[in-house]
Amino acid sequence: MLLNNFKPLISFYNGAKFVNVLGAEVAKTTILCGNSNSNTNLSGTNSHNYGGSTLSYNYTTTAAANNFTKEQTTYNWLGVVGVSASSGNPNYISARFNGFVLFIGTGNKEVQADDYCLDNAIELKVTASSCYHNADEKTIVSRSFYNNTEEDVEIKEIGLYFFMSPCGCVSNYTSSFVQPIVMVGRKVFETPITIQKGEQYTFNYTIDMSQVSFEEADR
């Protein structure tokens, strides 16, 4: 299910905050890209000035994406999502990208709307990952995990996250680009998925925006 953390992605409310996988609150202006320059430009009348030219969640596998395998840590995701022609200041939101990614775990705690991390994340080797958007308003996030442990692994849960990345042109990125990921969706499998030792399994998570309803205004 999609979690409370998903709401700020589509909310116009400037004060909305995410809770990252470390349990800390983070403002939208800290992690989402947009049209304006400095973070302060996303307050007041510009509170919904998100979704700029750098808002491109889709990507295909890169070596960097495959190296990011641990949930409870920070990464910069440099160069994963896309490349911008801008030479913007790394502190500017116009020099950022966001993307979706998957992590897996062995916990089976019931999903709650306020979940912000997996019940028990497991770190396996990643061999491929992608995020793409269909014409039917579905976003499909995919990641392939290879069992490089010494025994079979039972996967019982999966998490959908988004990350922040500096644009490809930013070489001297600041610490503000090293952020924990934010979990926006989580699912516990009714039947665990076993990845045998030396085998690989590909997981997919679909966001179906066509199911979002818009009620007509009252008179």
Side-chain angles (χ1 to χ4, degrees), residues 139-156:
T139 294
I140 300 174
V141 188
S142 177
R143 209 170 197 204
S144 300
F145 294 87
Y146 173 80
N147 184 356
N148 56 338
T149 71
E150 295 302 316
E151 56 187 18
D152 296 349
V153 176
E154 275 196 348
I155 304 303
K156 300 178 182 178

Side-chain angles (χ1 to χ4, degrees), residues 11-32:
S11 170
F12 294 113
Y13 178 49
N14 184 57
K17 296 181 179 180
F18 300 106
V19 178
N20 65 33
V21 291
L22 302 183
E25 288 190 343
V26 55
K28 289 201 300 183
T29 54
T30 300
I31 196 168
L32 290 185

Side-chain angles (χ1 to χ4, degrees), residues 12 17 27-28 31 34 40 56 65 73 83 90 99 101 127 135 161 181 216:
F12 294 113
K17 296 181 179 180
K28 289 201 300 183
I31 196 168
T40 55
S56 179
T73 190
V83 177
V101 69
T127 58
Y161 309 74
I181 50 179
E216 294 185 3

Side-chain angles (χ1 to χ4, degrees), residues 42-59:
L42 283 178
S43 60
T45 57
N46 292 322
S47 61
H48 62 283
N49 192 12
Y50 296 94
S53 59
T54 58
L55 188 56
S56 179
Y57 288 85
N58 52 301
Y59 63 94

Side-chain angles (χ1 to χ4, degrees), residues 22-97:
L22 302 183
E25 288 190 343
V26 55
K28 289 201 300 183
T29 54
T30 300
I31 196 168
L32 290 185
C33 70
N35 290 323
S36 301
N37 288 332
S38 66
N39 290 341
T40 55
N41 287 346
L42 283 178
S43 60
T45 57
N46 292 322
S47 61
H48 62 283
N49 192 12
Y50 296 94
S53 59
T54 58
L55 188 56
S56 179
Y57 288 85
N58 52 301
Y59 63 94
T60 55
T61 297
T62 67
N66 290 348
N67 291 332
F68 302 153
T69 59
K70 189 175 182 180
E71 182 200 47
Q72 297 288 308
T73 190
T74 59
Y75 300 114
N76 60 50
W77 299 91
L78 181 64
V80 173
V81 181
V83 177
S84 172
S86 169
S87 59
N89 186 314
N91 290 314
Y92 287 178
I93 59 174
S94 58
R96 301 175 188 170
F97 287 93

Side-chain angles (χ1 to χ4, degrees), residues 143-218:
R143 209 170 197 204
S144 300
F145 294 87
Y146 173 80
N147 184 356
N148 56 338
T149 71
E150 295 302 316
E151 56 187 18
D152 296 349
V153 176
E154 275 196 348
I155 304 303
K156 300 178 182 178
E157 58 179 336
I158 186 171
L160 170 70
Y161 309 74
F162 80 89
F163 59 83
M164 180 182 74
S165 171
C167 67
C169 64
V170 177
S171 58
N172 297 318
Y173 56 84
T174 64
S175 60
S176 63
F177 277 118
V178 184
Q179 295 284 341
I181 50 179
V182 174
M183 186 168 73
V184 294
R186 178 171 174 257
K187 178 180 177 62
V188 174
F189 300 119
E190 293 183 5
T191 302
I193 296 172
T194 300
I195 308 179
Q196 297 181 349
K197 175 185 174 182
E199 296 294 326
Q200 175 179 289
Y201 192 93
T202 299
F203 294 87
N204 297 299
Y205 202 117
T206 302
I207 304 174
D208 189 354
M209 294 302 292
S210 68
Q211 298 300 311
V212 176
S213 62
F214 296 90
E215 296 183 5
E216 294 185 3
D218 294 333

